[in-house]
Amino acid sequence: QVQLVESGGDLVQAGGSLRLSCAASGRTFSNYVMGWFRQAPGSAGSERKFVAAIGWSGRNTFYADSVEGRFTISRDYAKNTAYLQMNSLKPEDTAVYLCAAGTELKEAPNYGMDYWGKGTLVTVSS
């Protein structure tokens, strides 16, 4: 089992920045692809959208077109933590952001992720 706890969500003005953190515990952190996903508050898990992912080695990163160039995913093996740096935030980025871990990134709805956190709310005001 892997436990994931997100933090860093907040209310921010459009154009601002936030950094989300995902602390992992349990099985070996370095064995997993780490991903960030988002969904509208109160929506079903099937409506989750892919945001970004980073491979187990940390060398390969992947982004949704909507966040490419604005968001950066990274991971710290010493701290067993994944991060999502979000810059130039837009109102349409408002969502609950969830961290997930899996052995391979795949398609929706579960994206190949085996473990999910509970999410952290990001609200971007216009």
Side-chain angles (χ1 to χ4, degrees):
Q1 290 287 331
V2 175
Q3 292 78 43
L4 302 171
V5 179
E6 303 94 335
S7 62
D10 205 345
L11 170 64
V12 63
Q13 287 189 330
S17 298
L18 280 176
R19 188 176 81 156
L20 305 183
S21 299
C22 174
S25 61
R27 293 191 173 181
T28 306
F29 176 70
S30 59
N31 288 349
Y32 294 94
V33 171
M34 299 299 296
W36 285 97
F37 303 82
R38 65 188 182 187
Q39 63 187 80
S43 66
S46 59
E47 298 180 34
R48 287 172 187 163
K49 303 296 184 184
F50 169 73
V51 175
I54 186 167
W56 59 269
S57 71
R59 287 195 296 267
N60 299 316
T61 56
F62 310 89
Y63 297 95
D65 290 344
S66 59
V67 307
E68 181 84 53
R70 298 188 298 123
F71 291 11
T72 302
I73 189 171
S74 61
R75 63 193 300 169
D76 185 327
Y77 296 93
K79 296 182 178 180
N80 283 358
T81 300
Y83 302 98
L84 185 68
Q85 177 67 43
M86 306 187 294
N87 299 329
S88 302
L89 283 160
K90 305 175 181 180
E92 51 264 42
D93 293 319
T94 294
V96 175
Y97 284 73
L98 301 104
C99 173
T103 55
E104 183 180 2
L105 184 64
K106 297 181 180 179
E107 299 295 321
N110 292 325
Y111 300 97
M113 299 292 106
D114 299 311
Y115 306 100
W116 293 84
K118 294 184 178 181
T120 185
L121 177 62
V122 172
T123 304
V124 184
S125 63
S126 57

